[in-house]
Amino acid sequence: MEINRYIDHTVLKPTTTLEDIKKLCMECVEYDFAAVCVPPLYVKIAKQFLASTNSKVATVIGFPFGYSAIEAKVAETVLAIVDEADELDVVINISAIKNNDWEYLEKEIANLMYIIREKKKVIKVIIESGVLTDEEIIKCCQLYAKYGVDFVKTSTGYAEKGASVHAVQLMRANLPAEIQIKASGGIRTFAFAKELVEAGATRIGASASVAIVNESKA
């Protein structure tokens, strides 16, 4: 298994520096990761660092808690597209799920999808599976399948629980085959990453990417 090609090499800590981004991009080139995932501030510079490579640049929208207004997420999305982000990892409104307000969530995704599809970008919706019930995860899968998102993603890495094999299996069972799954949050070993891929994940979000790849070769 070439685990490197599954990985979004990630740094999203609030203290991220330009040097962190440069190192991330250099490692992305060295290890041939699928993408880097960086804070919105660094999209433009990451694109420059990776200009002559096949690696994509992803950024986050509504991160990490998802409860910013729809208008704010739309503005963030537009700015990320202007900066030439290839992929957008969008945190949905978790509070709306807990309020059982699926009408709000539908309005949110409809507004975002219009822009993202018009500009032919990739969208990964982050549902924060670790704080949801199985029923809520299934409802999310149904809603985002309806809108034809590219990926459903497990976690931000900022909740009390990150990715799990159970969540990925549940998502895979309730999503059409063309919608992919990104597992992220607490993935620090090759063994766990491999389990998640075997459960149905086609992308892995990790900051411990280099260690995961090196372990896979050991």
Side-chain angles (χ1 to χ4, degrees):
M1 177 187 290
E2 293 185 354
I3 195 67
N4 58 305
R5 294 304 302 161
Y6 287 86
I7 291 175
D8 284 0
H9 192 29
T10 302
V11 60
L12 292 169
K13 61 188 180 182
T15 55
T16 299
T17 65
L18 183 58
E19 280 304 308
D20 292 331
I21 298 300
K22 185 176 180 180
K23 180 173 182 283
L24 189 85
C25 291
M26 288 173 65
E27 289 172 344
C28 184
V29 172
E30 181 181 353
Y31 289 88
D32 193 24
F33 294 126
V36 294
C37 188
V38 301
L41 174 66
Y42 295 112
V43 169
K44 199 176 287 188
I45 192 70
K47 285 292 288 187
Q48 292 173 14
F49 284 142
L50 295 173
S52 60
T53 75
N54 294 321
S55 296
K56 303 298 184 185
V57 174
T59 194
V60 287
I61 307 295
F63 194 85
F65 300 120
Y67 48 39
S68 47
I70 294 172
E71 294 85 353
K73 290 181 182 177
V74 167
E76 285 186 68
T77 299
V78 170
L79 289 169
I81 290 171
V82 167
D83 286 345
E84 300 186 22
D86 302 297
E87 302 180 353
L88 304 166
D89 290 32
V90 180
V91 188
I92 62 164
N93 196 309
I94 313 303
S95 295
I97 297 178
K98 292 303 181 182
N99 287 328
N100 204 31
D101 191 351
W102 297 94
E103 185 178 339
Y104 180 95
L105 289 159
E106 187 150 6
K107 181 181 177 184
E108 179 180 73
I109 193 62
N111 276 273
L112 294 169
M113 286 298 288
Y114 175 79
I115 302 162
I116 291 166
R117 282 292 171 255
E118 184 181 38
K119 299 300 182 181
K120 297 180 170 58
K121 300 298 182 179
V122 169
I123 178 172
K124 311 183 195 106
V125 292
I126 307 174
I127 65 171
E128 206 66 275
S129 58
V131 299
L132 303 184
T133 65
D134 283 3
E135 182 184 2
E136 288 166 341
I137 292 172
I138 291 167
K139 281 187 176 181
C140 284
C141 290
Q142 292 167 343
L143 173 61
Y144 298 111
K146 175 182 171 182
Y147 280 86
V149 302
D150 298 292
F151 287 80
V152 179
K153 176 177 169 180
T154 60
S155 327
T156 61
Y158 280 78
E160 52 264 42
K161 184 179 179 184
S164 70
V165 170
H166 171 73
V168 171
Q169 289 173 333
L170 185 63
M171 290 157 68
R172 187 68 278 158
N174 287 280
L175 286 168
E178 65 270 17
I179 295 180
Q180 301 182 68
I181 295 168
K182 177 176 173 179
S184 65
I187 306 170
R188 298 182 182 89
T189 67
F190 170 66
F192 188 32
K194 184 170 181 283
E195 274 190 280
L196 293 163
V197 170
E198 289 171 348
T202 48
R203 197 76 71 87
I204 298 292
S207 56
S209 318
V210 171
I212 289 169
V213 172
N214 288 338
E215 186 185 334
S216 75
K217 295 174 179 176

